């Protein structure tokens, strides 16, 4: 049976509930939107009727299986443009926003468990939880214990306060993006082990957990240190199912 999507598939719920939390000493804004889609089951069905890949050229360093599909998400681009303008005081134009479905369960990418704490190479990021039955974990935000860092610039246009940029420069000695990536790898994650999980990362303190809930979107600047919140006893038999997005 062929599944045909229409204009209603990705329709945003006009009664979605938006909650904003300020996290950490720099009061990072994390936006939670409950009941995001008007027809979430239609979006969920897409994730159940597509093929996924674990090819490194697609998933990069993530221990997930992924599917990128070119649907028309212009309404979501418009919604997020307005959200960013209102809550982060930034005017942007979102040129591209593919539908990206990401699924995870223990061992889906052999010899690589990617639950470590990181930031993304984009300006903003979001996740929409699409688990209907097994609802565990979520998305967590972190502070590095010894340095006090809660984020570092991941792009030239990363949205960070002047005070936090000053702090990053003081701690790391640089604001150069390439040098900060090296600092991230060699200093912040020097003790990371591929077979460990986020609750086993003793160099980090969890600032906030956005719990998984069906049809919930979590939106945040991608410079924030974050991770999918999966512990050793989660998603052994069932899949963690999300839609993810990166915005530059």
């Amino acid at each position: 049976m062929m599944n045909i999507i229409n204009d209603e598939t990705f329709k945003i719920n006009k009664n979605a509930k938006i909650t904003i939390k300020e996290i950490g000493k720099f009061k990072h804004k994390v936006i939670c939107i409950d009941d995001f889609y008007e027809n979430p089951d239609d979006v969920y069905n897409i994730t159940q009727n597509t093929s996924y890949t674990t090819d490194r050229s697609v998933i990069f360093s993530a221990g997930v299986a992924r599917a990128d599909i070119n649907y028309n998400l212009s309404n979501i681009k418009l919604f997020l443009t307005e959200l960013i303008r209102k809550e982060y005081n930034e005017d942007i134009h979102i040129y591209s926003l593919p539908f990206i479905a990401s699924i995870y369960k223990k061992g889906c990418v052999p010899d690589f468990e990617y639950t470590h704490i990181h930031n993304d190479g984009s300006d903003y990021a979001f996740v929409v939880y699409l688990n209907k039955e097994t609802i565990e974990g979520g998305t967590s935000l972190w502070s590095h214990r010894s340095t006090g860092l809660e984020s570092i610039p991941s792009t030239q246009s990363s949205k960070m306060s002047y005070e936090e940029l000053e702090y990053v420069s003081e701690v790391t000695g640089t604001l150069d993006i390439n040098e900060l990536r090296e600092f991230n790898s060699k200093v912040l994650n020097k003790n990371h082990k591929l077979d460990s999980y986020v609750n086993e990362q003793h160099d980090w303190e969890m600032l906030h957990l956005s719990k998984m809930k069906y049809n919930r979107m979590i939106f945040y600047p991608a410079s924030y240190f974050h991770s999918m919140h999966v512990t050793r006893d989660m998603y052994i038999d069932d899949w963690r199912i999300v839609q993810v997005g990166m915005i530059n």
Side-chain angles (χ1 to χ4, degrees):
M1 178 180 177
M2 298 294 183
N3 294 315
I4 307 297
I5 70 166
N6 55 47
D7 292 342
E8 298 294 308
T9 301
F10 297 106
K11 187 174 182 179
I12 297 171
N13 179 12
K14 64 181 180 180
N15 295 316
K17 180 183 178 182
I18 299 178
T19 305
I20 300 171
K21 293 185 178 293
E22 294 185 340
I23 307 300
K25 61 187 175 185
F26 292 104
K27 300 189 180 301
H28 297 130
K29 276 189 179 181
V30 179
I31 301 175
C32 174
I33 308 174
D34 283 328
D35 303 316
F36 178 69
Y37 284 119
E38 186 166 301
N39 304 298
D41 287 358
D42 291 346
V43 183
Y44 170 82
N45 288 338
I46 293 173
T47 71
Q48 302 301 295
N49 294 283
T50 192
S51 297
Y52 293 83
T53 182
T54 57
D55 187 287
R56 289 294 183 196
S57 66
V58 178
I59 68 171
F60 303 105
S61 60
V64 300
R66 176 168 151 168
D68 294 31
I69 310 172
N70 190 25
Y71 291 138
N72 180 3
L73 303 182
S74 57
N75 65 320
I76 299 177
K77 289 196 290 185
L78 179 60
F79 174 85
L80 294 179
T81 298
E82 293 300 321
L83 184 72
I84 291 167
R85 179 180 294 116
K86 179 180 179 182
E87 300 300 338
Y88 298 100
N89 195 30
E90 182 178 9
D91 289 316
I92 68 166
H93 181 78
I94 303 173
Y95 291 95
S96 175
L97 187 64
F99 178 84
I100 303 174
S102 174
I103 59 174
Y104 165 89
K105 72 176 179 180
K106 186 176 176 67
C108 67
V109 180
D111 303 320
F112 202 95
E113 298 291 354
Y114 184 71
T115 62
H116 82 265
I117 297 153
H118 63 286
N119 61 359
D120 298 318
S122 59
D123 292 335
Y124 296 92
F126 70 83
V127 58
V128 182
Y129 301 133
L130 293 170
N131 277 60
K132 298 181 71 172
E133 296 178 0
T134 302
I135 300 177
E136 301 174 320
T139 302
S140 44
L141 274 74
W142 300 83
S143 171
H144 188 253
R145 291 185 188 276
S146 63
T147 65
L149 291 171
E150 299 172 355
S151 67
I152 57 175
S154 50
T155 69
Q156 296 294 347
S157 54
S158 289
K159 188 66 175 176
M160 295 174 65
S161 68
Y162 176 77
E163 290 77 14
E164 187 166 17
L165 285 172
E166 272 199 327
Y167 184 74
V168 171
S169 178
E170 178 184 332
V171 170
T172 66
T174 183
L175 288 176
D176 179 85
I177 297 299
N178 292 323
E179 291 178 0
L180 286 172
R181 286 173 183 156
E182 185 174 0
F183 182 88
N184 193 351
S185 174
K186 292 186 176 181
V187 178
L188 301 183
N189 279 298
K190 65 179 181 180
N191 295 320
H192 174 71
K193 299 178 181 179
L194 291 181
D195 62 348
S196 63
Y197 289 76
V198 290
N199 61 320
E200 302 166 359
Q201 303 299 312
H202 303 301
D203 292 342
W204 298 85
E205 176 186 0
M206 188 170 71
L207 298 176
H208 176 70
L209 171 61
S210 293
K211 293 183 178 180
M212 177 172 283
K213 178 183 178 183
Y214 184 57
N215 197 24
R216 167 179 283 174
M217 173 186 274
I218 304 298
F219 187 91
Y220 49 90
S223 58
Y224 298 178
F225 289 123
H226 63 277
S227 66
M228 64 177 183
H229 198 86
V230 174
T231 59
R232 195 170 290 275
D233 59 345
M234 294 180 184
Y235 299 106
I236 295 173
D237 299 312
D238 299 318
W239 291 96
R240 179 184 192 265
I241 308 165
V242 298
Q243 174 191 351
V244 299
M246 306 290 177
I247 297 172
N248 292 308

